[in-house]
Amino acid sequence: MAGNQSLYLSRRIKNVVALSLSTLATLIGLVFLAWILWETLRQGIGALNFKLFTKITAYGEDGGLLNAMVGSLIINFIGIAIATPIGVMAGTWLAEYANRTKLGETIRFLNDILLSAPSIVLGLFVYTIVVLPTTAITSGSTTFSGLAGGVALALIALPVIVRTTDEMLRLVPSTLREAALSLGVPQWKLTVNILIRAARSGIITGVLLALARISGETAPLLFTAFGNNYMTANPMDKMSSLPQVIYQYANDPGETMHAIAWAGAFVVTMFVLLLSLASRLVLSRNKVSHD
């Protein structure tokens, strides 16, 4: 009896310690998040005005970030539009057709390597396979472009979507597969109509997280989209983006440019935060509906 009580007390102490450390880690993360938001807002409050969203960067200190915001939306859309179908199909194949094969494990390992690859390396890779051939084919009339930037961001988003799709599909109970197959449902119809629908909230969450991941990338765009001080919606033109403009303005000696850079950083941070909250909301709503 005394042994059981001491074991119970030991487990209670370990539980309290683990819970305390987890709570402390959460509080530290929240403090740093609040600190980042406050610092970007404090530094950029002077530039957070109407012209920031209505004027382009060509006006310099009297301008805004409209063309950079539009460029970021276009480049991010291109990247996520390329990565989503490929990532979902690849993750589905890994989970349903290569789950316990050596080939599947090898591809998962390579996907993890791509997931941790430096973004600047991917930017240089796209510069080599997209920008340089495009320059040669068009005799220099088209070099850097928003399309090349979208391809670079797609390579960054792709492993995130593959990993999320793979994990979400493997979380679907095997009894659901067995029940469908026992009724004579073909494998492809089981995958498309049942399994993907069951895991769609997790897949959508992965896509949103991938979009948040690529929204703040700067290095790949320096080698691909390059930048543009004027408004353009043509993906074959050089295209500005918020991270690239923030990097450019942060290196400028003028205080006004620094304030605009901080304001742009605040906009990017809020966009990523809202995407993260949206992904959590999608996932939590699906859990509630299943419960």
Side-chain angles (χ1 to χ4, degrees):
M1 189 70 177
N4 292 336
Q5 289 181 348
S6 62
L7 180 62
Y8 175 74
L9 181 61
S10 173
R11 289 177 176 176
R12 285 294 301 271
I13 293 174
K14 291 178 180 178
N15 181 67
V16 171
V17 171
L19 184 61
S20 301
L21 292 176
S22 300
T23 304
L24 178 62
T26 302
L27 291 176
I28 291 174
L30 291 175
V31 167
F32 275 104
L33 175 61
W35 189 6
I36 291 171
L37 291 175
W38 165 249
E39 193 65 20
T40 53
L41 180 61
R42 184 181 68 84
Q43 297 280 359
I45 189 67
L48 278 173
N49 47 43
F50 188 67
K51 71 177 182 180
L52 185 76
F53 302 94
T54 57
K55 287 191 174 184
I56 61 176
T57 56
Y59 293 102
E61 294 185 354
D62 295 324
L65 299 174
L66 177 61
N67 59 318
M69 294 178 187
V70 173
S72 285
L73 290 176
I74 293 174
I75 295 173
N76 290 339
F77 175 78
I78 293 173
I80 211 70
I82 294 174
T84 298
I86 299 175
V88 170
M89 287 189 290
T92 301
W93 182 81
L94 285 174
E96 300 303 320
Y97 297 94
N99 190 15
R100 292 184 175 88
T101 64
K102 291 184 178 179
L103 179 60
E105 292 302 321
T106 302
I107 293 176
R108 286 193 183 95
F109 175 72
L110 294 176
N111 186 73
D112 290 341
I113 293 176
L114 183 61
L115 187 64
S116 58
S119 59
I120 192 170
V121 175
L122 299 178
L124 285 171
F125 175 72
V126 174
Y127 174 79
T128 303
I129 67 169
V130 177
V131 176
L132 292 182
T134 302
T135 305
I137 292 172
T138 61
S139 299
S141 61
T142 300
T143 54
F144 303 98
S145 64
L147 178 62
V151 173
L153 295 186
L155 290 179
I156 298 173
L158 181 61
V160 178
I161 299 176
V162 171
R163 167 61 76 87
T164 307
T165 303
D166 181 22
E167 294 293 337
M168 290 300 104
L169 285 174
R170 287 199 288 173
L171 287 175
V172 176
S174 58
T175 53
L176 192 62
R177 297 175 176 84
E178 295 168 0
L181 292 173
S182 66
L183 294 174
V185 178
Q187 179 68 42
W188 69 268
K189 188 173 289 187
L190 163 66
T191 302
V192 174
N193 293 342
I194 299 176
L195 298 181
I196 290 182
R197 291 184 63 182
R200 63 184 176 185
S201 65
I203 295 173
I204 293 173
T205 299
V207 173
L208 291 176
L209 291 176
L211 181 57
R213 167 79 170 80
I214 64 177
S215 296
E217 288 294 339
T218 306
L221 301 181
L222 297 176
F223 298 98
T224 52
F226 190 73
N228 192 338
N229 283 329
Y230 298 93
M231 177 69 71
T232 179
N234 183 0
M236 298 308 296
D237 290 337
K238 295 176 182 178
M239 191 169 287
S240 182
S241 62
L242 266 178
Q244 174 261 323
V245 172
I246 292 170
Y247 172 78
Q248 177 185 343
Y249 282 10
N251 291 324
D252 192 280
E255 292 297 326
T256 303
M257 305 298 268
H258 286 176
I260 297 176
W262 278 107
F266 180 76
V267 172
V268 172
T269 304
M270 291 304 298
F271 179 70
V272 172
L273 180 62
L274 290 175
L275 281 178
S276 300
L277 291 176
S279 64
R280 299 293 300 177
L281 179 62
V282 170
L283 196 59
S284 63
R285 286 184 62 184
N286 182 72
K287 287 182 179 178
V288 170
S289 64
H290 275 78
D291 293 342

